Amino acid sequence: MTKVIQFLADSESKAFDLEHRRKIRFNIGKYNAAVQTGLTWYYDHELARERASYLKAKVINNLDQYLLEFERNFTERGGKVIWAQNAEEALYEIGKIMARRHARTVVKAKSMTTEEIHLNKFLEKNGIESIETDLGEYIVQLNGERPYHIVTPAMHLSKADIAAIFVKHLGIEHTDDAQKLVLTARHLLRDKYTSAEVGITGGNFLIADTGAVAVTENEGNARLSATFPRTHIAIVGIEKVIPTMQDLNLFWPLLSTSGTGQQVTVYNTIYTGPRQPLEKDGPDEMFVVLLDNGRTNLLAQPDKREALHCIRCGACLNVCPVYKNIGGHTYEATYSGPIGSVITPHLSGMAENKHLSYASSLCGACTSVCPVKINIHNILLKNRQQSVAEGHMDKEERIAIQLWMRTMKSRRLLNLLPAKAKNWVLMRMLSQVGWNKRRDALEVAPKSFNKMWKERK
């Protein structure tokens, strides 16, 4: 079964799953209400978006310079930078670090880049236990699932669902007390922090002028993952650079308010390298893996490269009518929702993922809420144009479009077929894309306007 067919089947299943829709609308509804309140704290939110958009454009258009500046400043404090062109290179280098440290346990903070390179599967294959320490990530890991949402990995699960997962996998007594469920996870994870040889995090921002990695979170698990183990590895996409430390004043509130409605997230930490001689806490060594993995494919396309401005706030997912109906897992990609539909074809191949660019109503809600003003729905249209230009079309679709173009350019050809024949062609074409499954069939009028006009004259 191709990815397109699977996507359509899963979309239909989720769209008509009323319990799934109830959970998502409830959880996203809470976020949307909080965001509306959060936006009132801004004196001029639109100005903040404009400034953030400008800074990200400045960085992306000079990405090589800022990355080299980051590397120079980070290595000056004893940090080590690994440049990974793809997932294979990243995993190979991480594997070497694990072997040198004789690692048997890894504690891992929430990171979409580690999901992107399938790090947990790699570590498991090499006999290394990898524990997700973010509560949402921990829950979906127990359940054998991928994260459902960029910000909230377990958004699709209710409290009862989570309780059932804990009963099944952790053997606890059933409870509907959320505090008990959280304390259960907290108790189990505490010992892992102190026994793990390696801690792995992502990074929300790379600060060029300081050579630092900024991590934002709400649980404190990233701090524990980066502090207790003797080795800290941060895996960060190359597009996450910002020019200066002062720019965090702009980006941290935008990230938190757009995603969850908070003025600022609970824990915001800046890592500048391994523990220094007079410091008591921190790892003996720190690595930053700068991950490309298809990002330069976007960078090479000036009309689409603004997609690299994304700060992964999740706002576009929360307002997207398609995402709210079909859910995060249906996309079968690391990044779901509108921004996932934009970048996945470039990160993982246009031929296999072109259908994601069509999974949009093009209503523009995603663009209107993006804190860095990415023109998301417009890039989706450009992705569609690129997929056609590269020939990623079904043979029957290509023939149908060519015939349609020829007939639309010729009144004589358009009048050649009777209405019944045109209706048969329409029915066949539209049934291929599922149009007639939920809608009344389109029918051509018995007489064309052209013919009626001639008769009237």
Side-chain angles (χ1 to χ4, degrees):
M1 184 179 287
T2 66
K3 290 186 75 171
V4 178
I5 296 172
Q6 184 67 57
F7 177 81
L8 292 173
D10 291 346
S11 295
E12 182 164 347
S13 173
K14 286 297 181 185
F16 288 91
D17 183 342
L18 298 182
E19 179 61 15
H20 170 264
R21 290 175 69 174
R22 183 192 67 79
K23 292 174 187 174
I24 300 310
R25 289 179 186 279
F26 174 77
N27 289 326
I28 287 183
K30 290 197 296 183
Y31 275 137
N32 288 341
V35 168
Q36 289 304 310
T37 301
L39 292 178
T40 62
W41 296 322
Y42 272 92
Y43 176 74
D44 193 337
H45 181 247
E46 191 61 25
L47 179 59
R49 293 177 71 210
E50 290 281 0
R51 288 177 173 172
S53 177
Y54 167 77
L55 280 174
K56 288 301 291 183
K58 178 182 175 183
V59 168
I60 294 303
N61 289 328
N62 300 279
L63 190 57
D64 54 341
Q65 298 173 31
Y66 283 104
L67 286 172
L68 290 172
E69 183 184 357
F70 166 81
E71 181 184 36
R72 183 173 62 254
N73 291 324
F74 182 69
T75 53
E76 280 180 359
R77 291 179 58 85
K80 298 172 184 176
V81 172
I82 296 170
W83 297 78
Q85 186 173 350
N86 50 43
E88 290 73 25
E89 286 187 10
L91 293 174
Y92 174 74
E93 294 295 336
I94 293 167
K96 289 201 305 185
I97 297 169
M98 297 296 167
R100 185 166 51 79
R101 299 298 302 180
H102 303 289
R104 288 289 170 265
T105 306
V106 168
V107 283
K108 185 169 155 302
K110 183 179 178 300
S111 164
M112 294 306 292
T113 48
T114 60
E115 296 291 339
E116 186 181 332
I117 64 176
H118 305 294
L119 179 62
N120 284 349
K121 287 183 180 179
F122 171 80
L123 295 175
E124 184 182 345
K125 193 183 296 183
N126 286 275
I128 301 169
E129 183 186 24
S130 177
I131 299 103
E132 297 286 355
T133 61
D134 174 86
L135 181 59
E137 289 273 3
Y138 181 64
I139 292 166
V140 296
Q141 184 184 34
L142 284 176
N143 210 32
E145 295 180 317
R146 301 187 316 280
Y148 184 92
H149 188 281
I150 290 174
V151 175
T152 316
M155 179 179 277
H156 61 303
L157 300 171
S158 65
K159 185 169 64 175
D161 294 329
I162 295 167
I165 291 169
F166 276 32
V167 170
K168 179 180 178 181
H169 296 282
L170 302 179
I172 68 169
E173 292 185 6
H174 186 276
T175 177
D176 59 359
D177 187 330
Q179 280 194 331
K180 286 184 179 179
L181 294 172
V182 172
L183 287 173
T184 298
R186 183 182 183 186
H187 175 73
L188 290 168
L189 290 172
R190 284 286 166 172
D191 292 337
K192 299 295 183 181
Y193 292 120
T194 54
S195 62
E197 294 84 6
V198 178
I200 296 178
T201 69
N204 295 91
F205 303 103
L206 297 169
I207 307 168
D209 74 334
T210 316
V213 181
V215 176
T216 180
E217 50 162 336
N218 278 315
E219 298 173 21
N221 60 296
R223 283 187 177 181
L224 295 172
S225 298
T227 304
F228 278 111
R230 296 180 65 186
T231 299
H232 173 202
I233 304 173
I235 306 171
V236 191
I238 56 174
E239 80 281 12
K240 292 298 187 71
V241 190
I242 58 174
T244 70
M245 182 80 76
Q246 285 72 28
D247 296 324
L248 288 173
N249 291 339
L250 173 66
F251 284 104
W252 263 344
L254 274 175
L255 175 62
S256 57
T257 302
S258 301
T260 59
Q262 296 168 276
Q263 285 183 298
V264 69
T265 43
V266 179
Y267 297 97
N268 294 286
T269 313
I270 300 169
Y271 301 99
T272 56
R275 184 175 69 249
Q276 301 300 299
L278 297 179
E279 293 176 347
K280 295 181 179 180
D281 299 319
D284 294 341
E285 57 181 357
M286 180 177 174
F287 298 85
V288 171
V289 179
L290 294 177
L291 183 67
D292 180 349
N293 205 34
R295 285 161 175 80
T296 47
N297 294 336
L298 268 171
L299 187 63
Q301 302 179 66
D303 62 332
K304 303 186 188 77
R305 82 170 48 145
E306 67 174 298
L308 293 173
H309 298 182
C310 177
I311 59 174
R312 304 289 191 267
C313 67
C316 61
L317 282 70
N318 295 342
V319 298
C320 178
V322 175
Y323 179 88
K324 285 190 282 191
N325 279 285
I326 69 174
H329 290 156
T330 303
Y331 291 81
E332 285 289 337
T334 302
Y335 305 103
S336 54
I339 193 62
S341 296
V342 164
I343 65 177
T344 300
H346 301 282
L347 301 186
S348 305
M350 182 65 74
E352 301 84 4
N353 298 284
K354 73 179 183 71
H355 62 283
L356 296 178
S357 300
Y358 294 86
S360 170
S361 65
L362 299 177
C363 64
C366 50
T367 301
S368 69
V369 299
C370 178
V372 289
K373 303 198 73 170
I374 302 171
N375 200 345
I376 297 175
H377 68 291
N378 189 48
I379 304 177
L380 286 171
L381 278 173
K382 291 178 179 178
N383 278 359
R384 297 180 188 185
Q385 184 183 39
Q386 181 180 338
S387 71
V388 172
E390 292 178 359
H392 303 306
M393 299 172 64
D394 297 328
K395 184 179 179 181
E396 191 166 284
E397 182 183 0
R398 189 182 300 112
I399 293 171
I401 292 296
Q402 288 173 350
L403 288 174
W404 176 81
M405 285 178 63
R406 286 192 64 184
T407 53
M408 289 301 289
K409 289 179 178 180
S410 170
R411 184 80 249 175
R412 183 180 62 81
L413 287 175
L414 195 59
N415 287 338
L416 196 61
L417 287 178
K420 286 184 179 180
K422 292 175 184 175
N423 285 333
W424 181 86
V425 172
L426 272 175
M427 181 184 69
R428 181 169 176 77
M429 285 175 57
L430 296 177
S431 63
Q432 295 291 322
V433 295
W435 177 275
N436 296 337
K437 191 169 185 179
R438 304 289 175 194
R439 305 172 179 87
D440 292 335
L442 295 178
E443 290 189 2
V444 174
K447 287 184 180 181
S448 68
F449 176 80
N450 177 260
K451 191 171 183 181
M452 291 171 66
W453 183 260
K454 283 182 178 179
E455 289 176 354
R456 181 179 177 182
K457 291 181 71 176

